Amino acid sequence: MGEETSEESKASIEKAIEAISSLISLSHSIKSFNIKWQLIRTKLEELYSGLAALSNLNSGFDPSLSILISAILISLKDTYDLATRCVNVSYSGKLLMQSDLDVMAGKFDRHTRNLSRIYSAGILSHGFAIVVSKPNGGNACKDDMRFYIRDLLTRMKIGDLEMKKQALVKLNEAMEEDDRYVKIVIEISDMVITLVGFLDSEFGVQEESAKAVFFISGFGSYRDVLIRSGVIGPLVRVLENGNGVAKEASARCLMRLTENSENAWSVSAHGGVSALLKICSCSEFGGELIGASCGVLRNLVGVEEIKRYMTEEDDTVATFIKLIGSKEEIVQVNSIDLLLSMCCKDEQTREILVREGGIQELVSVLSDPNSSSSSKSKEVALRAIDNLCFGSVGCLNALMSCKFLDHLLNLLRNGEISVQESALKVTSRLCSLQEEVKRIMGDAGFMPELVKFLDAKSLDVREMASVALYCLISVPRNRKKFAQDDFNISHILQLLDHEDGSNVSSDSGNTKFLISILMSLTSCNSARRKIATSGYLKSIEKLAETEGSDAKKLVKKLSMNRFRSILSGIWHT
């Protein structure tokens, strides 16, 4: 008898599923009461998903389920009658029909909630919960994709914890495979709210929902939907109580959301700053989580009050300085960026940075033996040094005391192109400092390296190198040293020789800087003689016709030197 009851119940479920499918199709042909029928279709789709999950149940049914299926069949028959009357426009009055449609929408909503209660009570086994097949490939139509997502949503609502988790896993797989699913998730009214609610659920469900909201946050136009759904508070609670994977997804999501400074206060109001600081100070967490947490804090310190609070917390700056020594790029980069944001325009925090050894840690990122530091880490460290150290005497002294020039010169010589350009920018800044620094740089060997950059492909690089070199040779001792190497002067002269068709990198902007360098070199007797006797004098005279007063001054000075040489020769004869 039990088997017969089971078979009869299965037949009733299949009958209900078929009736729902037929009713949904019929509703699309109805031209009136569009909003009412759209609401009923939504309720029917949710109910369809719940019933479809029952079709593979192998065990006996509870009587309450049989009663529910009977009630659903009666409601479907009544709604089909209403649909037929709407299609044929055979109803007695609009107000009465609207009322009838509202009643049916309410009934289907109750049926779905009753089915959910049966699931929650554990009456149904999990073995039947096979998810509807996902539409194949990029050619799937939107209606099929929407139905699939609605099926997943229904399972999230009415299923047990394992079913919810499976539905979330399938949702994440779908969104990662095809961005169109993300748009459908946003369009379904309570989908995002359901995902946000799951952030406060048990670990498995929480982890998958955190992945889902993180994925959605990757689309800038959808971030406001997450914010309006109240995602900030639950994400912060995940940081406090979630497992490692959920914490990481939460932190990465918050990093995206706080790119908009308006969301910073919300994170702070929910206790996010303390939670993030705790993560950054705990070495047990993985690099991705700590790096993402630093990224969120970097966005938050754009709010002055939050930055002040963080600075006043004990050991906060020291914690981030320690993270600079991490072997993972994301931790190094984000901790340096965070410190840069905290110290910018804040002399007191800079003093803490110097006192706690922050400058030495930045320089250690640049040191050659520190192979764990990536090119990106070196670029960020150089940017931090550029922004922090030249406006503070304390920072500059700390910088020069830890062999920074040696490491900088090594990057100019051997670094990757992007690192070389960053190093060149810092070198140019150093060359604008007092004469003693320029003298030290001249003795250290910076000038020959700068000469090599004078014919670089990038105009910006050529100009930085030219300006830096001009500053260095403004020191008499450096000019003499520069003139001792014949290659230095001959290379500059070759770059100015516009008759050389192979010199594709010559341009008027760079020419002006090169002429200024030669003009400065003429203050050194040996350099002036080398220029005058180089064989490039005619090229310089041609430049004087087109390049303006600086070139003319150079020609005049060189001509006077040649005239003196002639007179000297006559006098000695």
Side-chain angles (χ1 to χ4, degrees), residues 251-310:
R252 294 171 71 186
C253 184
L254 284 171
M255 185 163 62
R256 287 172 173 173
L257 296 177
T258 53
E259 289 175 7
N260 182 346
S261 59
E262 293 179 1
N263 298 326
W265 275 117
S266 181
V267 174
S268 178
H270 285 93
V273 176
S274 298
L276 291 161
L277 289 174
K278 184 177 180 180
I279 289 172
C280 291
S281 62
C282 183
S283 59
E284 295 178 3
F285 293 122
E288 289 292 329
L289 172 56
I290 294 175
S293 299
C294 287
V296 181
L297 290 170
R298 177 194 59 208
N299 294 339
L300 297 185
V301 296
V303 178
E304 189 62 34
E305 291 82 353
I306 297 177
K307 181 170 78 170
R308 190 181 306 119
Y309 167 77
M310 288 174 55

Side-chain angles (χ1 to χ4, degrees), residues 26-252:
L26 178 60
S27 71
H28 284 292
S29 62
I30 298 172
K31 305 301 181 183
S32 55
F33 309 106
N34 290 335
I35 295 176
K36 299 293 183 183
W37 280 108
Q38 178 59 53
L39 177 61
I40 290 175
R41 272 196 299 274
T42 299
K43 302 298 181 184
L44 288 171
E45 287 172 354
E46 292 180 0
L47 189 57
Y48 183 101
S49 297
L51 292 174
L54 300 178
S55 61
N56 294 293
L57 181 59
N58 294 319
S59 60
F61 283 82
D62 186 89
S64 60
L65 180 59
S66 297
I67 294 171
L68 175 58
I69 299 300
S70 297
I72 290 172
L73 287 170
I74 293 172
S75 297
L76 289 170
K77 182 179 181 301
D78 293 342
T79 308
Y80 197 90
D81 291 339
L82 292 176
T84 303
R85 287 159 57 190
C86 286
V87 170
N88 298 328
V89 195
S90 59
Y91 47 85
S92 57
K94 287 186 176 181
L95 290 177
L96 180 59
M97 177 57 73
Q98 287 178 342
S99 177
D100 290 342
L101 293 175
D102 287 337
V103 169
M104 298 317 301
K107 283 187 177 183
F108 289 126
D109 187 58
R110 285 193 297 275
H111 294 329
T112 301
R113 283 189 276 112
N114 288 335
L115 184 59
S116 178
R117 279 194 287 270
I118 293 174
Y119 274 88
S120 300
I123 295 170
L124 304 178
S125 68
H126 176 68
F128 68 87
I130 301 173
V131 178
V132 172
S133 297
K134 181 170 66 66
N136 291 326
N139 295 324
C141 71
K142 185 174 181 180
D143 286 342
D144 289 343
M145 296 170 70
R146 185 181 180 86
F147 178 78
Y148 178 68
I149 296 300
R150 278 206 171 278
D151 176 73
L152 294 178
L153 176 59
T154 300
R155 292 165 185 273
M156 293 177 201
K157 288 181 175 181
I158 68 175
D160 59 12
L161 285 175
E162 186 60 28
M163 188 186 294
K164 293 179 193 294
K165 180 182 175 182
Q166 281 193 4
L168 285 164
V169 169
K170 293 297 182 181
L171 174 65
N172 288 330
E173 289 175 353
M175 290 194 296
E176 290 174 7
E177 182 179 311
D178 192 332
D179 291 349
R180 291 181 296 167
Y181 281 107
V182 183
K183 188 173 187 295
I184 292 172
V185 167
I186 296 299
E187 290 173 346
I188 296 176
S189 59
D190 55 346
M191 186 81 183
V192 174
I193 292 176
T194 300
L195 294 174
V196 170
F198 284 160
L199 292 171
D200 287 315
S201 187
E202 285 75 2
F203 280 161
V205 173
Q206 182 189 68
E207 181 180 312
E208 294 302 325
S209 59
K211 291 178 183 177
V213 296
F214 165 64
F215 193 84
I216 294 170
S217 70
F219 298 80
S221 58
Y222 299 151
R223 291 175 188 174
D224 283 345
V225 178
L226 292 173
I227 296 299
R228 290 196 301 270
S229 300
V231 75
I232 296 291
L235 285 173
V236 171
R237 289 192 289 275
V238 173
L239 291 179
E240 296 170 334
N241 306 312
N243 64 17
V245 175
K247 285 177 187 285
E248 182 184 323
S250 176
R252 294 171 71 186

Side-chain angles (χ1 to χ4, degrees), residues 436-453:
E436 178 63 17
V437 175
K438 297 175 188 176
R439 185 188 62 76
I440 294 173
M441 294 179 71
D443 290 342
F446 276 83
M447 290 186 294
E449 299 308 317
L450 291 174
V451 170
K452 295 176 184 177
F453 286 103

Side-chain angles (χ1 to χ4, degrees), residues 293-515:
S293 299
C294 287
V296 181
L297 290 170
R298 177 194 59 208
N299 294 339
L300 297 185
V301 296
V303 178
E304 189 62 34
E305 291 82 353
I306 297 177
K307 181 170 78 170
R308 190 181 306 119
Y309 167 77
M310 288 174 55
T311 305
E312 291 172 353
E313 285 287 292
D314 293 339
D315 299 328
T316 298
V317 175
T319 294
F320 299 135
I321 290 173
K322 185 178 179 181
L323 293 177
I324 295 176
S326 170
K327 294 181 179 180
E328 298 194 46
E329 180 185 280
I330 186 173
V331 179
Q332 277 193 328
V333 169
N334 286 353
S335 60
I336 293 172
D337 273 342
L338 173 54
L339 281 168
L340 177 57
S341 299
M342 291 178 68
C343 295
C344 186
K345 301 179 182 179
D346 190 332
E347 190 62 34
Q348 183 179 357
T349 309
R350 287 193 192 190
E351 290 174 3
I352 299 174
L353 181 74
V354 173
R355 187 169 63 247
E356 297 291 340
I359 303 302
Q360 289 89 331
E361 284 294 334
L362 287 173
V363 174
S364 71
V365 175
L366 309 176
S367 60
D368 190 47
N370 190 6
S371 58
S372 63
S373 297
S374 65
S375 294
K376 186 175 181 179
S377 294
K378 288 181 170 65
E379 290 174 46
V380 174
L382 286 166
R383 186 175 72 239
I385 289 170
D386 186 20
N387 283 277
L388 294 176
C389 294
F390 298 108
S392 166
V393 175
C395 285
L396 184 60
N397 290 338
L399 185 68
M400 301 303 281
S401 68
C402 52
K403 298 184 178 180
F404 171 65
L405 290 181
D406 292 343
H407 300 311
L408 185 63
L409 185 60
N410 180 62
L411 293 179
L412 284 175
R413 287 172 175 163
N414 306 311
E416 294 182 15
I417 293 176
S418 59
V419 177
Q420 283 184 323
E421 292 185 7
S422 297
L424 182 58
K425 184 178 180 182
V426 176
T427 301
S428 184
R429 287 291 301 275
L430 282 168
C431 291
S432 66
L433 299 178
Q434 58 266 36
E435 185 170 316
E436 178 63 17
V437 175
K438 297 175 188 176
R439 185 188 62 76
I440 294 173
M441 294 179 71
D443 290 342
F446 276 83
M447 290 186 294
E449 299 308 317
L450 291 174
V451 170
K452 295 176 184 177
F453 286 103
L454 293 178
D455 59 348
K457 291 182 178 180
S458 167
L459 174 61
D460 290 338
V461 170
R462 295 198 299 273
E463 290 188 355
M464 280 193 292
S466 299
V467 172
L469 189 57
Y470 177 77
C471 291
L472 288 183
I473 64 175
S474 66
V475 179
R477 174 172 171 167
N478 289 343
R479 279 199 297 271
K480 290 182 180 179
K481 191 176 186 68
F482 187 85
Q484 289 172 1
D485 188 340
D486 291 341
F487 172 80
N488 292 335
I489 294 176
S490 64
H491 188 60
I492 293 174
L493 290 169
Q494 287 172 11
L495 293 174
L496 283 172
D497 185 11
H498 284 265
E499 290 182 351
D500 182 0
S502 64
N503 185 19
V504 295
S505 65
S506 292
D507 56 78
S508 59
N510 200 41
T511 296
K512 182 178 179 180
F513 291 112
L514 296 177
I515 290 173

